Amino acid sequence: MLNLLKVYQRKLTNLTAANRSLVLLKLTAENDLDFQSLDFTDGKPAYQLLQEIVKGKKEIKLCDYLDSRDKHVNELSKKLSKLHKKDALITEERGSKDLYLGYPVLRGKLNDGTIVRCPLLFFPLDIS
């Protein structure tokens, strides 16, 4: 019985304040992308893109690859390309898919005063 408890203890999620799944105070430029920045990049509001992801649609166009008329689309395309390369590298090195869309983001405090600012649900993504 003691061995079984030790196995379960190792499997438990890290619930400390250092866990980015529980406390995400700010977005990092190289690892995170605010989904709202995709608003109307392909003629659709960001909320409609989110609805398609939640419904499980397999392929969703986020933005054009390059657009000489729109600087914002070019910056987003570059950022998405970097995220794709980083995800591919992590998948190759570790063998795990670690690209997720976190929605909705909860903000608040627990009864003991611990600050919580984190996504409630994670939807796995693949950028291609």
Side-chain angles (χ1 to χ4, degrees):
M1 183 68 166
L2 186 60
N3 289 337
L4 184 62
L5 288 175
K6 287 183 180 183
V7 169
Y8 282 124
Q9 185 178 13
R10 277 184 258 147
K11 289 183 179 183
L12 286 175
T13 304
N14 177 12
L15 296 177
T16 63
N19 186 346
R20 292 197 62 216
S21 296
L22 290 179
V23 180
L24 184 60
L25 297 178
K26 64 179 182 174
L27 298 178
T28 59
E30 64 274 355
N31 293 331
D32 302 315
L33 174 72
D34 185 7
F35 199 75
Q36 188 62 33
S37 63
L38 296 170
D39 201 26
F40 290 104
T41 55
D42 194 42
K44 296 179 187 175
Y47 191 75
Q48 186 177 354
L49 295 172
L50 180 65
Q51 283 179 333
E52 292 175 2
I53 290 171
V54 171
K55 287 179 183 177
K57 189 172 177 184
K58 296 294 180 191
E59 291 189 18
I60 300 167
K61 184 177 178 184
L62 299 177
C63 67
D64 291 329
Y65 185 69
L66 288 174
D67 188 354
S68 60
R69 298 167 289 162
D70 195 351
K71 178 183 172 186
H72 179 67
V73 169
N74 293 337
E75 290 171 358
L76 279 172
S77 176
K78 194 180 297 184
K79 179 118 176 134
L80 288 169
S81 295
K82 285 182 184 179
L83 282 174
H84 173 65
K85 288 177 186 176
K86 189 165 190 166
D87 180 50
L89 179 69
I90 289 173
T91 302
E92 184 178 317
E93 286 181 353
R94 299 181 194 162
S96 65
K97 298 293 279 180
D98 288 341
L99 186 62
Y100 295 96
L101 169 68
Y103 178 80
V105 175
L106 301 177
R107 296 179 185 168
K109 286 186 179 181
L110 299 177
N111 288 338
D112 64 352
T114 305
I115 296 174
V116 175
R117 183 175 175 190
C118 63
L120 180 62
L121 300 172
F122 289 100
F123 298 95
L125 298 178
D126 185 28
I127 299 175
S128 47

